Amino acid sequence: MKTSGSISRRLTVLLACVAALLSVLSWSMVTSFARQAAERTQDNILEASASIIAEALRSEDGEVRLELPYSAFSMLGAISEDRVFYHVTQGGATLTGTPAISADFVSPAPGQTRLNTTTYQDEPLRVAAITRVILAGANRVAVTVYVGQTRYGVSLIANDLSRTAALLSIAFFTVAVALSAVVARTSLHQINVIAEAVARRGPTDLRPLRQTPPQELAPLLQSLNRLIDRLSRSLRQSEDFIAEAAHRIRTPLATVRAQAEVALHSVDDVTEKKRMRQIIRAVDESSRSAGQLLDHATVAYRSENIPDTAIDLAQIASTATAALQPTADMKDIDIHLDANTAMVRGDDVLLESALRNVLDNAVKYSPPETSVTVRVRTAGASGEITVSDSGPGLGDEPFEKYTERFQRGKNAEGTVGSGLGLTIARDVVLAHQGRIELTNNEGNGTCVSFILPRA
Ligand SMILES: Nc1ncnc2c1ncn2[C@@H]1O[C@H](COP(=O)(O)OP(=O)(O)O)[C@@H](O)[C@H]1O
Ligand SMILES: [Mg+2]
């Protein structure tokens, strides 16, 4: 069947896209936070280092002196292989250090610190500056200490954290995609449940679906049930129509037959009599066909709910045999009834109509002055009715064909019939959880058996 793609796959892809977006977003956020944190740490150390150097400034003989404290640099070195520079100015003039690192720097006001990023020897350099006022002799001089450091360490830490964040994001993404697939599949599971429930149904099962659907599927289920309802109603209507039509045909036919019978007895001429007999036979066939149409409609109607009533197959056999006796008498056919009690559960009207149709075949296809045997037995867990005749047999066509609607055998050429008899029998037996068996008798004749579960 042509489909417009898979909802499950679409849902998975959609959720995966969301997960990918979130992963990239969280990765870039973590990366930027990591860089900021590393930079802030460096800034703090640079400021601390500059202020340690500033604290070490002294005035001696009216001049500013500086003995660089080792600790000021050792704390900077702790970060990494970064290079460290310093520059100390007094009133703008270099006291010691590398002047280039403070080239584009506005020195901070006394007591203040300032941070700046410059480029020195083609490398980015972070510089912290602090200004301190020192009393040199009688003068107050502003001394500014600059401490600069390259930023390898910062990049190293930031990159490291970024890589870890990337790995975590990939892991998150993978898990999210897997979960998406599972979620998509489980949320679509309900649809499959309903589809299976529909698929599992037999061809005649038109009961409404009883599943409790999730909210979103309720409209689908409702319209499905409405469709089923419409379908079964229209089926029932056409069955009703057939039954009604058959019934209306049968009643006038009975009148015609009765009249023809009267006429048959009132004429003496042999050819007239023969003609009357032909009329009666044709009327019989027509009313038999109408009867079968009626039976077929009844089967379709009643087999929807087979009652749980106990029935004796022997009783069914005797009723059906009695019904067929007049027809059999016309051909001088003997019907032997050999019935032991066999109880089954079901619908006696249906079972009787099934047996009547099989018996009708036996009588119809057998040559005159033969006999038909109806046997009722129990065998293990089943009750069986067998109808055996000494007619022409079923031939060598596949027997299943005979139970199909309107299918007639080659051996039926020349006999009137509708091809519904065995269909009715099969449908009834199947509705009773049983099976029908067609076999050729050894020698000649046909044997038809209903095998039904015992009550
Ligand atoms: N007792 C029988 N002997 C020989 N052939 C039979 C017998 N019963 C059924 N058949 C074959 O099975 C076919 C289908 O039977 P059925 O459904 O009753 O239709 P119909 O009797 O109207 O032809 C018949 O046309 C005939 O070929
Ligand atoms: Mg028949």
Side-chain angles (χ1 to χ4, degrees):
M1 186 171 159
K2 211 173 152 225
T3 61
S4 61
S6 148
I7 298 183
S8 160
R9 200 172 315 140
R10 228 177 287 167
L11 213 68
T12 310
V13 168
L14 204 76
L15 289 174
C17 285
V18 172
L21 199 76
L22 287 178
S23 303
V24 170
L25 215 71
S26 76
W27 168 76
S28 72
M29 270 162 67
V30 168
T31 301
S32 109
F33 286 151
R35 180 163 287 277
Q36 277 173 26
E39 282 176 3
R40 203 163 311 135
T41 310
Q42 187 186 36
D43 286 353
N44 289 342
I45 298 173
L46 279 173
E47 277 176 359
S49 161
S51 91
I52 289 174
I53 294 173
E55 292 302 323
L57 290 167
R58 259 186 311 280
S59 79
E60 225 171 74
D61 308 331
E63 284 194 18
V64 177
R65 299 229 171 270
L66 170 62
E67 203 168 303
L68 279 172
Y70 172 73
S71 61
F73 296 107
S74 69
M75 63 194 287
L76 280 169
I79 295 188
S80 68
E81 305 289 296
D82 277 308
R83 295 198 288 154
V84 178
F85 305 93
Y86 67 94
H87 183 212
V88 184
T89 60
Q90 176 187 347
T94 298
L95 207 65
T96 173
T98 318
I101 67 162
S102 57
D104 45 3
F105 224 108
V106 182
S107 56
Q112 300 271 297
T113 52
R114 176 169 285 163
L115 288 154
N116 197 8
T117 311
T118 61
T119 311
Y120 177 63
Q121 293 179 344
D122 294 333
E123 280 177 46
L125 195 73
R126 187 69 173 166
V127 183
I130 188 164
T131 302
R132 208 186 135 195
V133 177
I134 289 173
L135 217 59
N139 297 332
R140 296 163 68 87
V141 282
V143 179
T144 306
V145 177
Y146 299 88
V147 178
Q149 190 183 30
T150 51
R151 313 196 85 177
Y152 297 126
V154 170
S155 300
L156 218 66
I157 292 171
N159 289 346
D160 213 38
L161 285 173
S162 162
R163 206 168 312 125
T164 312
L167 286 178
L168 281 174
S169 294
I170 289 170
F172 165 76
F173 175 73
T174 318
V175 171
V177 168
L179 282 178
S180 304
V182 172
V183 164
R185 189 130 354 123
T186 44
S187 40
L188 292 177
H189 173 68
Q190 284 293 331
I191 298 184
N192 292 342
V193 168
I194 293 175
E196 268 166 33
V198 175
R200 235 184 296 123
R201 297 190 149 212
T204 54
D205 187 353
L206 288 176
R207 286 168 304 154
L209 291 162
R210 290 265 167 260
Q211 272 73 18
T212 330
Q215 210 177 330
E216 292 80 355
L217 290 182
L220 176 71
L221 209 70
Q222 268 162 13
S223 21
L224 210 60
N225 276 340
R226 270 199 294 273
L227 180 72
I228 291 176
D229 185 46
R230 276 205 300 275
L231 196 67
S232 75
R233 218 173 306 160
S234 87
L235 268 181
R236 186 153 304 171
Q237 265 167 12
S238 61
E239 276 153 16
D240 282 353
F241 176 80
I242 293 170
E244 179 69 22
H247 183 68
R248 288 193 185 204
I249 292 168
R250 273 214 305 193
T251 322
L253 279 179
T255 318
V256 174
R257 193 190 195 280
Q259 295 297 325
E261 198 94 47
V262 174
L264 176 68
H265 292 302
S266 63
V267 295
D268 296 323
D269 186 51
V270 182
T271 36
E272 292 280 297
K273 267 194 188 298
K274 199 173 158 200
R275 220 170 267 155
M276 284 333 275
R277 281 217 183 80
Q278 272 171 349
I279 291 176
I280 291 174
R281 204 168 306 137
V283 169
D284 278 349
E285 281 305 336
S286 305
S287 77
R288 189 189 294 179
S289 292
Q292 280 187 325
L293 284 174
L294 192 63
D295 281 352
H296 190 261
T298 314
V299 172
Y301 207 68
R302 294 180 72 120
S303 60
E304 266 178 36
N305 30 55
I306 297 288
D308 198 30
T309 326
I311 300 166
D312 187 356
L313 288 182
Q315 185 59 47
I316 301 281
S318 108
T319 320
T321 310
L324 259 291
Q325 199 63 57
T327 325
D329 288 344
M330 298 241 294
K331 285 176 83 174
D332 283 328
I333 288 176
D334 236 1
I335 305 184
H336 282 298
L337 180 60
D338 171 8
N340 294 350
T341 295
M343 301 304 285
V344 298
R345 291 197 172 278
D347 187 327
D348 54 347
V349 173
L350 290 186
L351 286 171
E352 197 197 305
S353 108
L355 184 60
R356 234 186 313 114
N357 277 287
V358 171
L359 260 176
D360 178 69
N361 281 347
V363 172
K364 183 163 72 169
Y365 294 109
S366 296
E369 294 172 28
T370 53
S371 68
V372 171
T373 309
V374 182
R375 191 171 289 133
V376 179
R377 290 277 182 278
T378 53
S382 38
E384 297 183 8
I385 301 188
T386 308
V387 177
S388 175
D389 63 47
S390 359
L394 290 166
D396 43 17
E397 291 171 274
F399 298 164
E400 302 85 66
K401 176 192 145 178
Y402 297 137
T403 57
E404 294 305 319
R405 237 197 288 182
F406 302 118
Q407 292 293 325
R408 310 195 63 213
K410 285 205 193 79
N411 59 1
E413 280 164 22
T415 16
V416 199
S418 57
L420 277 176
L422 289 182
T423 313
I424 292 166
R426 178 201 60 183
D427 287 353
V428 168
V429 172
L430 285 184
H432 284 79
Q433 263 78 48
R435 63 176 204 278
I436 185 166
E437 270 180 11
L438 305 176
T439 46
N440 278 322
N441 278 337
E442 271 174 51
N444 58 359
T446 308
C447 184
V448 180
S449 305
F450 299 166
I451 296 151
L452 298 158
R454 267 170 75 179

